[in-house]
């Protein structure tokens, strides 16, 4: 049946017209759908009692003309049931007057950030990234470039360091591109993605990001548990796997490791409680404590080794094309490390006081912070070959364990404080990259009952019950799957960045990002944007064969070369396809020239109705001519070409 058979027109002369249309629709349904009509006959009866009564069943039951009668009927039945009564007790804070569909698109944590919560200045972003850069993964990132393993590695220390600088500088540019959308319109990644993938189509990339964040939360928490184990061992030397009875045999882990992991997991829970605009204080503390500990570790290792070690004098064993591809792979591994953060940077940048606060602070602090951490990791690992007379120890936790095994009160004190700093680093990284991201994404998946705080705790619970120690076992390739899968997020980033910068030229209608009306410019086809999904799939395809090769299967050498530049392959393919499709089949709500209107954010997203008049889209946004790029607003016309 045609959409007009199900919907009341957006513009009508009076509420009487609306009520009459609704009554006629119920009579039509009576002929074809007697069961549904019998359940909804109360609406006809109430409307017929007093046609002049402004509070009709449409108003009383929050029925919106963009929703089918069947959907409203189901929602009203659920709401009036006992299950609905108890579920309403768990409903989160929301704006009054929202329709049923809008309750699936909006809550306090999804709405544009109002001025009172925009508390992140440039130094908060600097502290955020300096704190995030000092983590175990960054410490070890150069090891894969220096250590020869199969066809990879073989670079000198300075060549690997150049790769780190280049990789994170490029990643910083992508971060700023996505971050500007959040800083300008003060909306999060789930809301930003609605413009590119559709109101309902955005749920798939959101779910992908949320699932990855939950898995990574458990993995990072397990690494944090290893830091806790070192701290306990520094106090009680008997806290080792050999001396603690294993009460959980055949579990894949042991008592000492699990208890340490559980302590870290438990201590992380209070940090999830705080709202995002206040959690910046954690990163400020981490930005002071962790770099100091890293520098202390750096000095300690050099003093013990009485020099920088042999790695600093080691040349490159890779030559010719192997050297070239080795450096390309090193750059791409640095970018891939940031794939998830590139996508969800709007989750943090939306709290910026001004858009420029999230620009230069991130563009400079990201490559500097990560390059310094990588350099410290190289030198400390190089020094370990002299201290312990063996191969370089790239994992800082293994190196700390070696110091602890040596014994001595000074070693134990040093290990305790440095392990504490690494635990704090893991906590900050887990909150920034996983907890907040998963919480924000889950809020978009079920906004009626989930906010960022509840989503963060669900993420933590999933991270606990997934038994991360099984995923990190030496015989398991799951970390390879995770690392490889994360680069597929480049396809999502390609669509979003192309949509905002090249297609829409910075113009977003914020209020329509929360509208489920079929006439909304972001509703597209049943809420899904086929152009966005086509481009998304095209961005994944070039990397599929190479991904199979990354997990150990034989593939053509050409596929391996493409996969070596996986992020760029996915990003360029998805953005090129999306731009081409939008040129061939133009989309609404675009500007001919650059036009960001973030300062004109409408804080209320409820459908507006004037007394005696049906909701009129033009009353809210003005008459729009998408092709000409003109906006006719109450009080005058504004030309986007001005």
């Amino acid at each position: 049946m045609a959409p007009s058979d199900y919907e009341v027109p957006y513009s009508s002369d009076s509420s009487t017209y609306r009520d009459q249309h609704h009554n006629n629709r119920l009579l039509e349904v009576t002929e074809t759908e007697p069961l549904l009509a019998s359940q909804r006959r109360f609406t006809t009866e109430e409307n017929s009692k007093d046609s002049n009564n402004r509070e009709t069943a449409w108003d009383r039951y929050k029925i919106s003309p963009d929703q089918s009668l069947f959907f409203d009927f189901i929602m009203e039945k659920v709401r009036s049931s006992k299950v609905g009564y108890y579920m309403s007790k768990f409903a989160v804070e929301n704006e009054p007057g929202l329709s049923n569909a809008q309750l699936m698109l909006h809550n306090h944590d999804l709405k544009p950030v109002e001025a009172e919560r925009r508390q992140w200045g440039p130094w908060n972003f600097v502290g955020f990234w300096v704190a995030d850069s000092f983590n175990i993964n960054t410490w070890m990132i150069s090891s894969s470039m220096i250590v020869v393993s199969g066809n990879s590695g073989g670079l000198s220390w300075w060549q690997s360091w150049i790769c780190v600088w280049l990789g994170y500088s490029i990643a910083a540019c992508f971060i700023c591109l996505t971050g500007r959308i959040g800083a300008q319109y003060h909306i999060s990644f789930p809301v930003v993605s609605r413009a590119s993938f559709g109101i309902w189509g955005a749920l798939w990339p959101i779910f992908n990001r949320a699932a990855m964040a939950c898995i990574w939360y458990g993995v990072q928490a397990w690494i944090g548990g290893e830091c806790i184990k070192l701290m306990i061992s520094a106090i009680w030397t008997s806290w080792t796997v050999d001396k603690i009875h294993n009460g959980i045999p055949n579990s894949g882990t042991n008592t000492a490791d699990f208890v340490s992991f559980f302590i870290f997991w438990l201590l992380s829970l209070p940090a999830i409680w705080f709202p995002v605009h206040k959690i910046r204080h954690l990163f400020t503390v981490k930005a002071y404590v962790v770099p100091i500990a890293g520098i202390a570790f750096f000095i300690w290792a050099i003093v013990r080794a009485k020099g920088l070690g042999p790695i600093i004098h080691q040349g490159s064993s890779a030559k010719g094309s192997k050297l070239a591809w080795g450096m390309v792979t090193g750059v791409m591994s640095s970018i891939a490390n940031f794939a998830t953060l590139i996508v969800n940077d709007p989750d943090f940048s939306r709290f910026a006081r001004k858009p420029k606060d999230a620009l230069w602070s991130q563009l400079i602090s990201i490559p500097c912070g990560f390059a310094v951490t990588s350099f410290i990791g190289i030198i400390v690992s190089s020094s370990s070959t002299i201290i312990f007379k063996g191969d370089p120890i790239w994992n800082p936790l293994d190196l700390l364990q070696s110091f602890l095994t040596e014994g001595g009160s000074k070693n134990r004190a040093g290990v305790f404080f440095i392990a504490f700093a690494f635990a704090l680093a893991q906590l900050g990284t887990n909150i920034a990259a996983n907890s907040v991201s998963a919480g924000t994404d889950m809020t978009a998946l079920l906004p009626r009952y989930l906010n960022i705080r509840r989503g963060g705790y669900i993420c933590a619970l999933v991270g606990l019950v997934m038994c991360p120690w099984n995923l990190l076992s030496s015989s398991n390739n799951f970390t390879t799957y995770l690392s490889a899968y994360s680069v597929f997020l480049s396809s999502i980033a390609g669509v979003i960045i192309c949509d905002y910068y090249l297609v829409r030229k910075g113009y977003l209608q914020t209020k329509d990002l929360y509208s489920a009306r079929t006439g909304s410019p972001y509703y597209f086809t049943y809420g899904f944007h086929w152009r966005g999904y086509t481009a998304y799939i095209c961005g994944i395809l070039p990397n599929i064969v190479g991904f199979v090769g990354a997990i150990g299967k034989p593939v053509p050498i050409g596929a391996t070369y493409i996969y070596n530049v996986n992020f760029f392959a996915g990003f360029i393919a998805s953005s090129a396809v999306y731009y081409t499709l939008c040129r061939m089949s133009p989309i609404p709500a675009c500007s001919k020239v650059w036009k960001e209107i973030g300062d004109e954010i409408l804080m209320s997203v409820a459908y507006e109705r004037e007394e005696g008049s049906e909701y009129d889209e033009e009353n809210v946004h003005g008459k729009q001519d998408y092709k000409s790029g003109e906006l006719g607003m109450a009080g005058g016309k504004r030309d986007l070409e001005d």
Side-chain angles (χ1 to χ4, degrees):
M1 192 171 290
S4 59
D5 294 331
Y6 287 94
E7 300 169 0
V8 176
Y10 287 166
S11 299
S12 59
D13 295 331
S14 67
S15 59
T16 304
Y17 174 85
R18 178 188 64 197
D19 298 339
Q20 183 62 44
H21 182 97
H22 184 57
N23 293 339
N24 292 342
R25 172 65 189 130
L26 286 177
L27 291 176
E28 294 174 16
V29 173
T30 305
E31 298 176 0
T32 58
E33 301 169 304
L35 178 60
L36 178 58
S38 66
Q39 299 294 334
R40 291 301 302 271
R41 194 171 290 118
F42 73 91
T43 309
T44 305
E45 295 171 356
E46 291 190 15
N47 284 340
S48 63
K49 287 180 182 179
D50 185 2
S51 61
N52 295 321
N53 184 6
R54 295 298 181 196
E55 186 183 25
T56 64
W58 287 72
D59 303 302
R60 185 174 306 170
Y61 298 102
K62 306 299 181 190
I63 301 174
S64 174
D66 69 309
Q67 302 164 27
S68 68
L69 298 178
F70 180 75
F71 178 75
D72 289 314
F73 165 70
I74 294 297
M75 292 299 293
E76 290 305 324
K77 292 294 288 183
V78 172
R79 206 184 336 262
S80 61
S81 66
K82 287 186 177 181
V83 175
Y85 171 78
Y86 288 111
M87 288 180 66
S88 67
K89 300 297 182 181
F90 295 96
V92 300
E93 175 186 357
N94 221 322
E95 179 182 333
L98 298 182
S99 68
N100 290 324
Q102 283 187 301
L103 289 173
M104 300 172 66
L105 294 170
H106 178 275
N107 67 16
H108 176 75
D109 286 334
L110 283 175
K111 71 177 184 179
V113 177
E114 61 276 12
E116 293 75 16
R117 289 194 295 151
R118 300 173 195 168
Q119 299 179 9
W120 283 55
W123 288 108
N124 292 121
F125 284 100
V126 170
F128 175 86
W129 289 114
V130 169
D132 188 69
S133 65
F134 274 81
N135 62 70
I136 295 170
N137 191 39
T138 307
W139 186 284
M140 298 173 57
I141 195 165
S142 289
S143 66
S144 61
M145 309 178 204
I146 296 175
V147 177
V148 178
S149 177
N151 295 323
S152 62
L155 303 184
S156 65
W157 75 270
W158 63 267
Q159 289 169 339
S160 70
W161 202 41
I162 289 176
C163 293
V164 171
W165 273 104
L166 287 175
Y168 283 105
S169 295
I170 296 172
C173 294
F174 284 112
I175 284 282
C176 292
L177 286 174
T178 56
R180 180 172 179 81
I181 308 174
Q184 185 69 38
Y185 288 91
H186 304 285
I187 53 179
S188 60
F189 159 68
V191 181
V192 170
S193 61
R194 292 172 184 172
S196 307
F197 293 95
I199 291 296
W200 306 123
L203 295 178
W204 173 247
I206 292 170
F207 173 79
N208 273 263
R209 176 68 188 98
M212 287 294 296
C214 290
I215 295 172
W216 271 116
Y217 186 96
V219 172
Q220 297 284 6
W222 179 258
I223 297 174
E226 294 180 351
C227 300
I228 296 295
K229 186 174 76 169
L230 282 170
M231 293 171 62
I232 298 174
S233 299
I235 301 173
W236 296 287
T237 55
S238 60
W239 189 262
T240 62
V241 175
D242 298 332
K243 297 180 181 179
I244 298 295
H245 171 69
N246 185 13
I248 47 174
N250 303 319
S251 63
T253 185
N254 55 75
T255 300
D257 288 341
F258 178 79
V259 171
S260 301
F261 160 68
F262 188 76
I263 291 174
F264 179 87
W265 181 88
L266 203 62
L267 293 176
S268 301
L269 298 183
I272 301 176
W273 179 267
F274 296 98
V276 180
H277 63 282
K278 292 183 178 180
I279 199 66
R280 70 188 191 281
H281 299 305
L282 169 64
F283 303 120
T284 301
V285 173
K286 181 184 170 185
Y288 285 106
V289 174
V290 180
I292 291 174
I295 294 172
F297 198 3
F298 176 75
I299 296 173
W300 186 20
I302 291 177
V303 170
R304 283 291 307 272
K306 297 179 181 179
L308 300 179
I311 291 180
I312 206 72
H313 306 293
Q314 178 179 306
S316 172
S317 61
K319 306 296 180 182
S321 62
K322 184 178 180 181
L323 173 61
W325 279 111
M327 295 195 69
V328 169
T329 303
V331 171
M332 296 310 302
S333 66
S334 300
I335 298 175
N337 230 18
F338 251 56
T340 53
L341 291 168
I342 287 172
V343 169
N344 75 280
D345 191 61
D347 294 344
F348 296 95
S349 65
R350 64 181 176 141
F351 293 97
R353 295 169 188 158
K354 301 183 294 293
K356 68 177 182 180
D357 289 347
L359 177 58
W360 295 108
S361 56
Q362 299 193 98
L363 194 62
I364 296 173
S365 61
I366 289 175
C368 291
F370 283 84
V372 169
T373 303
S374 173
F375 178 75
I376 293 175
I378 293 171
I379 299 303
V380 172
S381 300
S382 177
S383 301
S384 69
T385 62
I386 297 177
I387 299 172
F388 298 105
K389 312 298 182 183
D391 294 330
I393 303 175
W394 289 100
N395 189 328
L397 300 184
D398 292 342
L399 183 55
L400 289 176
Q401 182 62 55
S402 298
F403 279 116
L404 200 59
T405 304
E406 274 190 335
S409 58
K410 293 181 180 179
N411 278 5
R412 290 167 60 187
V415 168
F416 178 87
F417 288 111
I418 294 174
F420 169 78
F422 275 121
L424 181 61
Q426 286 301 115
L427 171 63
T429 300
N430 229 4
I431 296 297
N434 300 317
S435 173
V436 171
S437 301
T440 305
D441 294 340
M442 290 185 193
T443 297
L445 295 175
L446 197 61
R448 188 75 179 95
Y449 301 101
L450 293 180
N451 53 23
I452 293 179
R453 179 181 295 161
R454 293 179 182 180
Y457 284 118
I458 292 175
C459 173
L461 182 61
V462 173
L464 175 65
V465 302
M466 61 178 261
C467 304
W469 54 87
N470 289 327
L471 305 182
L472 293 173
S473 63
S474 58
S475 61
N476 199 308
N477 284 328
F478 197 76
T479 53
T480 303
Y481 282 98
L482 286 179
S483 299
Y485 181 80
S486 67
V487 303
F488 293 148
L489 294 174
S490 65
S491 184
I492 297 175
V495 172
I496 291 175
I497 290 175
C498 179
D499 179 70
Y500 183 79
Y501 288 95
L502 300 181
V503 177
R504 302 188 187 277
K505 293 182 171 59
Y507 176 62
L508 292 177
Q509 295 178 188
T510 310
K511 187 166 185 175
D512 285 320
L513 292 171
Y514 301 90
S515 172
R517 293 183 178 277
T518 55
S520 166
Y522 308 115
Y523 191 81
F524 300 109
T525 306
Y526 299 106
F528 291 81
H529 190 191
W530 65 267
R531 302 168 191 82
Y533 267 92
T534 302
Y536 168 69
I537 295 172
C538 289
I540 292 176
L541 290 178
N543 289 319
I544 289 293
V545 179
F547 172 72
V548 173
I551 60 177
K553 305 297 182 181
V555 296
I557 188 64
T560 302
Y561 288 149
I562 293 175
Y563 192 73
N564 285 340
V565 290
N566 43 39
F567 188 90
F568 285 123
F571 182 88
I572 294 174
S574 61
S575 56
V577 170
Y578 184 81
Y579 182 78
T580 302
L581 291 175
C582 289
R583 293 286 292 179
M584 295 172 60
S585 175
I587 60 176
C590 296
S591 170
K592 286 186 176 181
V593 296
W594 186 256
K595 193 68 176 180
E596 290 179 320
I597 55 172
D599 293 335
E600 301 179 16
I601 293 175
L602 298 175
M603 291 304 173
S604 174
V605 301
Y607 296 148
E608 296 181 6
R609 291 180 184 168
E610 296 179 1
E611 186 172 346
S613 175
E614 174 58 42
Y615 173 88
D616 188 348
E617 201 79 18
E618 296 181 3
N619 288 340
V620 180
H621 301 293
K623 186 176 180 180
Q624 303 170 11
D625 183 351
Y626 298 126
K627 293 183 179 179
S628 65
E630 295 180 352
L631 299 179
M633 306 297 291
K637 184 176 85 170
R638 182 180 63 205
D639 192 339
L640 292 183
E641 297 184 3
D642 288 342

